[in-house]
Amino acid sequence: QVQLVESGGGVVQPGKSLRLSCAASGFTFPSYAMHWVRQAPGKGLEWVAVVSYDGTEKYYTDSVKGRFTISRDNSKNTVYLQMDSLRPDDTAVYHCAKDLWTWLLQFDSWGQGTLVTVSS
Amino acid sequence: IVLTQSPATLSLSPGERATLSCRASQSVISNVAWYQQKAGQAPRLLIDDASNRATGIPARFSGSGSGTDFSLTISSLEPEDFAVYYCQQRSNWPLTFGGGTKVEIK
């Protein structure tokens, strides 16, 4: 079955950087787009970024453009989220999510998430 | 595109019918998905493209709508259905979610 396991979260000061990883298994990873979706404590879901199956297309929500970079390594079945210039409002649980199809932009499997706390 | 879900909270008893609404600020054709999230868990896909039940989702869940108005109906609430439900559109960048509807036990 599909498994998505995020790692790399933690407490970081404003302005610093963090890199999240998501290890995938149970499906043909190179065939699917992959997403990051975050959820601030007690709040709703916010889509963050997507990378296409081959890594050539990337899109971001406006609030992270220029600060976050999504990437993938199909040889390692892993997707990454490099987060720079972190702000307190980036504090959230970050989930990676598998696209329902190659590029359908809906999410049929989710990881449990990794908590990022941005605080001085 | 802003998705507005209503009501924010729905208080119902097991066995009752639940109807959740999602309204888009502009047309999203039929490009809306619905997710269920229980406390402390990751979301689960229920419905894709407005009306297609995802794999393994019980038949009591159904979705409908097009354009700007969408609904998720749970025909008869089971105890495990009390959760928060989100709609999501894929018609325009950035992808967006609604604010959620909490279905709670009355």
Side-chain angles (χ1 to χ4, degrees):
Chain A
Q1 72 279 22
V2 173
Q3 278 203 311
L4 300 170
V5 180
E6 302 93 338
S7 60
V11 180
V12 62
Q13 292 180 329
K16 301 295 188 181
S17 298
L18 211 56
R19 188 200 200 200
L20 306 183
S21 300
C22 171
S25 61
F27 65 103
T28 308
F29 182 77
S31 295
Y32 294 89
M34 294 294 296
H35 303 258
W36 287 96
V37 178
R38 68 184 178 182
Q39 189 166 29
K43 303 297 184 182
L45 300 170
E46 181 183 28
W47 174 80
V48 174
V50 61
V51 59
S52 62
Y53 69 99
D54 59 0
T56 58
E57 287 192 72
K58 304 174 184 181
Y59 291 87
Y60 302 89
T61 195
D62 289 346
S63 63
V64 309
K65 280 180 185 174
R67 301 188 300 122
F68 289 12
T69 303
I70 191 171
S71 62
R72 65 190 295 159
D73 186 338
N74 285 347
S75 69
K76 296 182 179 179
N77 284 6
T78 301
V79 60
Y80 304 97
L81 187 67
Q82 177 66 41
M83 304 186 295
D84 299 323
S85 303
L86 281 161
R87 308 188 306 216
D89 62 356
D90 294 318
T91 295
V93 173
Y94 285 73
H95 298 274
C96 71
K98 171 186 165 291
D99 202 283
L100 179 58
W101 202 242
T102 300
W103 189 257
L104 199 63
L105 308 177
Q106 295 169 346
F107 325 113
D108 69 343
S109 297
W110 298 64
Q112 285 300 310
T114 186
L115 176 62
V116 173
T117 302
V118 184
S119 173
S120 54
Chain B
I1 295 177
V2 176
L3 299 180
T4 302
Q5 291 189 241
S6 61
T9 304
L10 199 50
S11 298
L12 295 169
S13 301
E16 289 194 292
R17 182 185 187 90
T19 302
L20 289 64
S21 172
C22 176
R23 177 163 289 178
S25 57
Q26 65 187 76
S27 177
V28 292
I29 315 173
S30 63
N31 298 329
V32 165
W34 289 91
Y35 302 86
Q36 176 194 67
Q37 188 178 32
K38 298 179 183 178
Q41 296 186 18
R44 175 173 72 146
L45 177 67
L46 299 175
I47 302 288
D48 70 82
D49 279 355
S51 60
N52 302 315
R53 257 191 318 276
T55 302
I57 301 303
R60 64 181 181 272
F61 290 92
S62 63
S64 64
S66 65
T68 61
D69 291 303
F70 300 85
S71 62
L72 174 71
T73 299
I74 310 171
S75 59
S76 178
L77 282 164
E78 296 287 339
E80 61 268 27
D81 298 337
F82 291 92
V84 180
Y85 294 83
Y86 295 95
C87 58
Q88 175 248 326
Q89 66 81 23
R90 67 179 184 94
S91 191
N92 279 65
W93 298 108
L95 309 183
T96 51
F97 288 90
T101 291
K102 181 179 181 180
V103 178
E104 65 175 23
I105 299 176
K106 185 175 182 180

